[in-house]
Amino acid sequence: MKRRDARYEDASDRQLRLAAVDVDDLQVMSALVQDSLFMPADIRHLAESRQLALLLNRIRWERIDDRRLGGSYERVGSVLLVSDVLSLASTLRDQGDDSVPYSLLALDFLPGEDGGGRLQFRLAGHWDIAAEIECINLLLRDVTQPYTALSKKLPEHEV
């Protein structure tokens, strides 16, 4: 019997595909990527095409109340693509330790002129990524099958 790699289509439920084109959409997307993890190598700024791409391991917040998970929760590999990026700035930690993941807490938008502004990726540990964007134009798409999170616990935040 010939073996093949798993495909997302083999999963029993549908992958998430979501676009954000205004502040309301961005708030929904921010909630869905909250507590996503990504490695420093999973960030790509494609300056020529004016895009920023992040490969995230996000919690499937849209399925968190699904009782058949038996008390654990799922993560899924997702791509977050930001288009119309004019410039990029960050306060990321020294790249000396690339083995520690970043944790994405929220996406914020500070409006500027003519629909543009600053898209801020708030990260745990007082690090941030900020993109000056021409307009809100983001896509979030799951690209792997869901998997049970290794910790089997939801992240906890100080209030």
Side-chain angles (χ1 to χ4, degrees):
M1 177 177 183
K2 186 175 180 181
R3 297 185 73 179
R4 64 179 174 84
D5 289 338
R7 298 175 307 155
Y8 194 94
E9 293 78 19
D10 297 333
S12 61
D13 55 340
R14 307 285 294 182
Q15 69 191 68
L16 180 74
R17 293 181 188 188
L18 185 67
V21 296
D22 60 28
V23 174
D24 292 334
D25 294 343
L26 190 63
Q27 289 175 341
V28 171
M29 190 174 285
S30 179
L32 289 169
V33 298
Q34 178 182 340
D35 297 312
S36 292
L37 300 174
F38 64 98
M39 301 303 289
D42 295 333
I43 306 169
R44 290 285 182 268
H45 180 211
L46 311 166
E48 286 187 19
S49 60
R50 298 183 352 156
Q51 294 181 317
L52 174 65
L54 287 89
L55 180 60
L56 306 172
N57 289 303
R58 71 173 191 84
I59 296 172
R60 295 183 74 205
W61 290 111
E62 70 278 14
R63 299 288 303 259
I64 206 68
D65 290 329
D66 190 342
R67 297 293 177 222
R68 63 185 180 83
L69 295 178
S72 61
Y73 68 97
E74 292 178 327
R75 285 192 178 267
V76 64
S78 303
V79 171
L80 177 60
L81 181 66
V82 182
S83 296
D84 302 308
V85 175
L86 302 173
S87 64
L88 187 65
S90 70
T91 58
L92 297 176
R93 65 177 164 258
D94 180 11
Q95 296 299 314
D97 187 1
D98 289 344
S99 66
V100 178
Y102 296 119
S103 178
L104 179 58
L105 300 178
L107 300 173
D108 291 324
F109 182 69
L110 304 168
E113 295 181 18
D114 299 325
R118 177 175 281 231
L119 177 64
Q120 190 160 341
F121 297 77
R122 287 190 303 142
L123 308 176
H126 305 289
W127 295 290
D128 289 308
I129 300 170
E132 293 297 326
I133 55 176
E134 189 173 14
C135 60
I136 297 175
N137 186 0
L138 288 83
L139 295 173
L140 177 64
R141 180 177 179 192
D142 293 345
V143 294
T144 69
Q145 288 191 14
Y147 60 93
T148 300
L150 297 176
S151 70
K152 300 185 179 173
K153 298 179 187 176
L154 287 174
E156 295 181 14
H157 301 281
E158 293 181 21
V159 180

